[in-house]
Amino acid sequence: MDPKKTRGRGRSIPPDKANESWTLEKVAKYAGVSPASVSRVLNRPEHVTPGIKAKVLSAFKELNYIPHGGARALASRRSNMIGAVVPTLSFAIFGSMVQALQVRLYDSQLQLTLASSEYDLEREFVQAEIFIARRVDGLVLIGGDHHPELYELLARTKTPFVNTFSYSTNPDRPSIGIDNARSTYELTSHLVELGHSQFGFLTSPIKGNDRVSGRLRGVRTCLADNGISFDDDRIIEVPYELSEGRNGFRALIQSFPDMTALVCSTDVLAFGAMLEAQEMGIGVPDRLSVTGFDDLDFASQIRPKLSTVHIPSRQIGVRAAEFLLARIEGRTVPMNTHLDADVLIRGSIGTAPKKGAARFTFGT
Amino acid sequence: MDPKKTRGRGRSIPPDKANESWTLEKVAKYAGVSPASVSRVLNRPEHVTPGIKAKVLSAFKELNYIPHGGARALASRRSNMIGAVVPTLSFAIFGSMVQALQVRLYDSQLQLTLASSEYDLEREFVQAEIFIARRVDGLVLIGGDHHPELYELLARTKTPFVNTFSYSTNPDRPSIGIDNARSTYELTSHLVELGHSQFGFLTSPIKGNDRVSGRLRGVRTCLADNGISFDDDRIIEVPYELSEGRNGFRALIQSFPDMTALVCSTDVLAFGAMLEAQEMGIGVPDRLSVTGFDDLDFASQIRPKLSTVHIPSRQIGVRAAEFLLARIEGRTVPMNTHLDADVLIRGSIGTAPKKGAARFTFGT
DNA sequence: CTGTTAGCGCGTTCAT
DNA sequence: ATGAACGCGCTAACAG
């Protein structure tokens, strides 16, 4: 027998198993096999004899070997990472999508890495660029409004990506999401049927956010279809914060004391508005109907319950993962998939108060 | 002159600038300089003559060159990535910490990459391991309760890390955070001073969460110090969800109808409890005092305002970044830093109702 | 200051 | 099924 391969199986230099930085090559030597075999048990264990596999596996354990991700990415031209850039980490709605995404990717041996843009398209671009520099295998984005250069970058680098939360039909911009305009249209219709004609729209910043602008479009279209006038000064834009919902509502009701229906672009602002209304003695839904969007936990817990639109965010996460997996593996998949969003009519809306009766007077 | 170095500066093979995968070497050839110089303008631009720098920079632009992150990490033994594993992305409290962390790291050319553990120590371990496989330069963790193997892994790989949100004094476990027990002790003291003696504790799962267990300890110690009895069945543990706050409270008040003070381990559960109390006709704070922890936006917006503890989460994020930066650069820094958490006494707590008056009777 | 050269740790042809 | 050799794209000495 070859003495090198008998006893000791190459355990020549194990000075300190713990404090060594083990590389695939060293592990191979330690296990008495070739580097290629070690690589195989890492990547295609089924193509390896049980005997060798066992040796390598036990070497892994003994040496606490951890393969170098960067080196693997370099050699294989695949990073096994998917990047996601979300607008914010401060609201639950993206959290549940991301969680579902993560779990689904994990099942396929892909790791999710996350960054946030703080609702800033420039920052979103920078974060995406960093991900691309890491050669992520795919990218998940929120919405379809992005820096023009980002779309160019994506195309140039051929990075698979998918827009989420808002549905589009553009075949060059894969998307998985809901129809924001349609859902809001529906919500607004209910209000119209209840006799409302004095509307207000309270929203977080619209620029660069197609979900929000879609919702605004839904309101506009619905009111136009019903011959209800809706001037731009009935739209008030505030930062995405609970307290700003209060402020926005106060400003709006001061300008339009006869407003009886308030449509909010998101639950958070609706909560703020409801809290302020309550404080001002404006009854919801008796004198004012309020709607939101997102169906956050609070929506069904506060009283009255908030009428809103439920976004299937877990579904979106799962679908996004599966879309990217398909693209990465070269399978063909529909570029755009529409998901249904349930419109939830709850206690926060009611029939429009009779003319005059609704008018809120200050200082009374 | 050497003809190779004259006109054309090597622009021999630019077949399709757009569809090429440009490497540092190709860029160097294109710019007519050495690979080393290109690398230098990437990493130490100050050590490069303006002339060369200009050539390289314009080549970057023309070719849309994006350096390969994995290769850089491999060659330099630094990934310029910091990993963070958070328990959940669904609550704002970690969001603001992570955001601050991200911004601070960004200023130092480090990229944050995020993963979530869903409050599961096993999953936390796996996520951390993946990060370490990517050779992150540092790791941010939440709390100090981790899988024992994680601590081993960290030590073995010499990965700089820091526990956040909970303060500890263990020099082997760097931490930046608040003293959960102390803050809750203080909060409870207020309740005791207001005459309360019938307490309840509503909490999210305690196991593996030292922030929550610290808070429980704070309550226990305070009540013991004041000679107030507090049996374990006055502690109720529910999932971390708004609706579970309702359920938990209902169960608790049924078992202990004479309870007048409810301490919650987190604002979310306190909100649930307050909503349920309101629904049940139990006045807050007249018949029941409630406290939370976190100071979420809602805490100061609902009525009555929730008494709670404000966590300086942005501060924690900034400090965590700076701690890791220091460790990476080999500077010495205090291993444990304590941050103050403001105890906010607001409308949700009041003097204990007289004996008997407080007793809530079902079906009345 | 600049260019040359040798790896970084791994995957992947090829032979065998 | 296994091993040898090459190269992924970049940085880090070193030499000039």
Side-chain angles (χ1 to χ4, degrees):
Chain A
M1 288 184 187
D2 180 350
K4 284 196 314 230
K5 302 196 73 176
T6 48
R7 289 292 78 73
R9 39 200 267 258
R11 301 193 177 209
S12 32
I13 325 151
D16 184 4
K17 286 187 197 174
N19 262 353
E20 258 278 349
S21 172
W22 294 102
T23 68
L24 181 143
E25 201 166 349
K26 293 185 196 166
V27 172
K29 201 164 295 175
Y30 182 89
V33 302
S34 78
S37 290
V38 178
S39 175
R40 284 193 194 93
V41 345
L42 237 31
N43 302 298
R44 280 132 53 172
E46 64 277 13
H47 293 189
V48 165
T49 350
I52 297 231
K53 182 154 48 174
K55 281 199 230 171
V56 172
L57 253 24
S58 84
F60 283 174
K61 277 240 144 61
E62 290 179 37
L63 307 178
N64 288 308
Y65 171 64
I66 301 179
H68 190 299
R72 302 184 78 176
L74 181 57
S76 68
R77 299 146 161 294
R78 279 206 46 185
S79 66
N80 293 310
M81 288 191 298
I82 297 291
V85 187
V86 298
T88 177
L89 299 166
S90 292
F91 293 103
I93 188 68
F94 298 122
S96 50
M97 179 283 220
V98 167
Q99 202 229 313
L101 179 66
Q102 211 246 56
V103 169
R104 183 60 190 83
L105 290 174
Y106 186 83
D107 289 343
S108 300
Q109 321 280 343
L110 286 175
Q111 213 241 331
L112 178 68
T113 99
L114 213 59
S116 81
S117 68
E118 306 306 315
Y119 285 102
D120 178 340
L121 261 37
E122 297 281 349
R123 293 185 58 166
E124 181 188 47
F125 174 74
V126 172
Q127 298 290 356
E129 195 170 28
I130 294 175
F131 280 152
I132 289 176
R134 301 269 172 210
R135 301 304 190 266
V136 291
D137 297 330
L139 212 45
V140 177
L141 301 173
I142 309 296
D145 279 358
H146 306 298
H147 194 114
E149 276 188 51
L150 178 49
Y151 279 119
E152 286 173 28
L153 177 64
L154 256 11
R156 206 189 321 125
T157 59
K158 298 186 178 52
T159 305
F161 75 98
V162 58
N163 291 331
T164 57
F165 281 91
S166 52
Y167 170 71
S168 117
T169 54
N170 186 333
D172 293 332
R173 303 189 171 182
S175 67
I176 292 170
I178 65 170
D179 186 333
N180 286 280
R182 205 169 101 37
S183 299
T184 312
Y185 187 106
E186 203 173 317
L187 205 49
T188 309
S189 292
H190 278 277
L191 259 7
V192 171
E193 284 168 18
L194 288 169
H196 293 274
S197 60
Q198 299 296 326
F199 281 78
F201 187 70
L202 177 57
T203 178
S204 53
I206 298 172
K207 189 163 179 301
N209 188 328
D210 63 342
R211 289 132 285 151
V212 165
S213 56
R215 293 167 201 176
L216 174 54
R217 190 154 23 88
V219 177
R220 279 204 167 113
T221 310
C222 179
L223 295 184
D225 286 355
N226 286 279
I228 297 173
S229 80
F230 182 64
D231 291 343
D232 279 0
D233 42 351
R234 284 176 174 272
I235 300 168
I236 188 162
E237 203 173 322
V238 298
Y240 194 165
E241 277 171 39
L242 185 59
S243 60
E244 294 291 345
R246 301 188 90 114
N247 298 339
F249 170 69
R250 204 172 333 106
L252 212 44
I253 195 75
Q254 281 178 13
S255 305
F256 304 99
D258 54 354
M259 175 174 75
T260 66
L262 177 67
V263 178
C264 301
S265 70
T266 157
D267 281 0
V268 171
L269 295 181
F271 296 146
M274 285 176 73
L275 287 165
E276 184 67 17
Q278 179 182 339
E279 208 114 306
M280 293 174 80
I282 302 178
V284 175
D286 298 336
R287 287 167 63 176
L288 180 77
S289 289
V290 178
T291 69
F293 208 107
D294 286 348
D295 193 27
L296 300 185
D297 280 352
F298 264 100
S300 54
Q301 301 290 343
I302 55 168
R303 297 299 179 264
K305 296 183 183 177
L306 181 63
S307 298
T308 187
V309 177
H310 180 84
I311 302 179
S313 35
R314 284 172 204 288
Q315 260 304 309
I316 293 177
V318 173
R319 301 291 192 101
E322 287 169 350
F323 175 84
L324 290 179
L325 284 164
R327 301 247 63 187
I328 290 170
E329 298 168 5
R331 306 195 317 262
T332 70
V333 272
M335 293 305 274
N336 295 287
T337 105
H338 168 89
L339 262 33
D340 284 325
D342 289 333
V343 174
L344 305 171
I345 302 304
R346 301 199 274 226
S348 69
I349 72 178
T351 59
K354 296 195 172 58
K355 277 224 187 291
R359 185 175 190 87
F360 174 72
T361 323
F362 290 94
T364 307
Chain B
M1 289 183 189
D2 179 351
K4 285 195 315 233
K5 304 194 70 176
T6 48
R7 289 293 77 75
R9 40 200 267 260
R11 298 194 180 211
S12 31
I13 325 147
D16 185 4
K17 285 187 197 173
N19 262 354
E20 257 279 345
S21 172
W22 293 100
T23 68
L24 181 143
E25 201 166 349
K26 292 186 196 165
V27 172
K29 202 164 293 175
Y30 182 89
V33 301
S34 78
S37 290
V38 178
S39 176
R40 283 194 194 94
V41 345
L42 237 33
N43 301 299
R44 281 131 54 170
E46 64 278 14
H47 293 188
V48 165
T49 357
I52 296 228
K53 181 155 47 176
K55 280 199 235 173
V56 173
L57 253 25
S58 84
F60 282 175
K61 277 240 145 60
E62 290 179 40
L63 307 178
N64 288 308
Y65 171 62
I66 301 179
H68 190 298
R72 301 182 78 176
L74 181 57
S76 69
R77 300 146 159 297
R78 282 206 43 185
S79 65
N80 292 310
M81 287 191 301
I82 297 292
V85 187
V86 299
T88 176
L89 298 166
S90 291
F91 293 103
I93 188 70
F94 298 122
S96 50
M97 179 282 219
V98 167
Q99 202 230 314
L101 178 67
Q102 210 248 55
V103 169
R104 182 63 189 81
L105 291 174
Y106 186 83
D107 290 344
S108 299
Q109 321 279 344
L110 286 176
Q111 216 241 329
L112 178 69
T113 98
L114 212 59
S116 81
S117 67
E118 306 307 314
Y119 285 101
D120 178 338
L121 261 36
E122 297 281 349
R123 294 185 57 164
E124 182 189 46
F125 174 75
V126 172
Q127 298 290 356
E129 194 171 29
I130 294 176
F131 280 152
I132 289 175
R134 301 266 171 213
R135 301 302 191 267
V136 291
D137 298 329
L139 211 46
V140 177
L141 302 173
I142 308 296
D145 279 358
H146 306 297
H147 195 112
E149 276 189 50
L150 178 49
Y151 279 118
E152 285 173 28
L153 178 63
L154 257 10
R156 203 186 326 123
T157 59
K158 297 185 179 53
T159 306
F161 75 98
V162 58
N163 292 331
T164 58
F165 281 91
S166 53
Y167 170 70
S168 117
T169 54
N170 186 333
D172 292 331
R173 301 188 172 182
S175 69
I176 292 170
I178 64 171
D179 186 332
N180 286 280
R182 206 170 100 37
S183 299
T184 311
Y185 187 106
E186 203 174 316
L187 204 49
T188 310
S189 292
H190 278 278
L191 259 6
V192 171
E193 284 167 19
L194 289 169
H196 293 275
S197 62
Q198 299 296 326
F199 281 79
F201 187 71
L202 177 56
T203 179
S204 53
I206 298 173
K207 189 163 180 300
N209 188 330
D210 62 343
R211 290 133 284 151
V212 165
S213 56
R215 293 167 200 175
L216 173 55
R217 191 155 21 89
V219 177
R220 280 204 167 112
T221 311
C222 179
L223 295 185
D225 287 355
N226 286 278
I228 297 173
S229 80
F230 182 65
D231 290 343
D232 279 0
D233 42 350
R234 285 176 174 271
I235 300 168
I236 188 162
E237 204 174 322
V238 298
Y240 194 165
E241 277 172 40
L242 185 58
S243 59
E244 294 291 345
R246 301 187 90 114
N247 299 339
F249 170 69
R250 204 173 332 106
L252 212 42
I253 196 74
Q254 281 179 12
S255 304
F256 305 98
D258 54 353
M259 175 175 75
T260 66
L262 177 68
V263 178
C264 301
S265 69
T266 157
D267 282 1
V268 170
L269 295 181
F271 296 146
M274 285 176 73
L275 287 165
E276 184 66 15
Q278 180 183 337
E279 209 115 306
M280 293 175 79
I282 302 178
V284 174
D286 299 336
R287 287 167 60 178
L288 180 76
S289 289
V290 178
T291 69
F293 208 108
D294 285 348
D295 193 27
L296 300 185
D297 280 353
F298 264 100
S300 53
Q301 300 289 342
I302 54 167
R303 298 299 179 265
K305 298 183 182 176
L306 180 63
S307 298
T308 187
V309 177
H310 180 83
I311 302 179
S313 35
R314 285 173 204 290
Q315 260 303 310
I316 293 176
V318 173
R319 300 291 192 98
E322 287 169 351
F323 174 85
L324 290 179
L325 284 164
R327 302 246 62 187
I328 291 169
E329 297 167 5
R331 305 194 318 260
T332 71
V333 274
M335 292 305 274
N336 295 286
T337 105
H338 168 89
L339 263 33
D340 284 325
D342 290 333
V343 175
L344 305 170
I345 301 304
R346 301 198 275 226
S348 69
I349 74 178
T351 59
K354 295 195 172 58
K355 278 223 187 291
R359 184 176 190 87
F360 174 72
T361 323
F362 291 92
T364 307

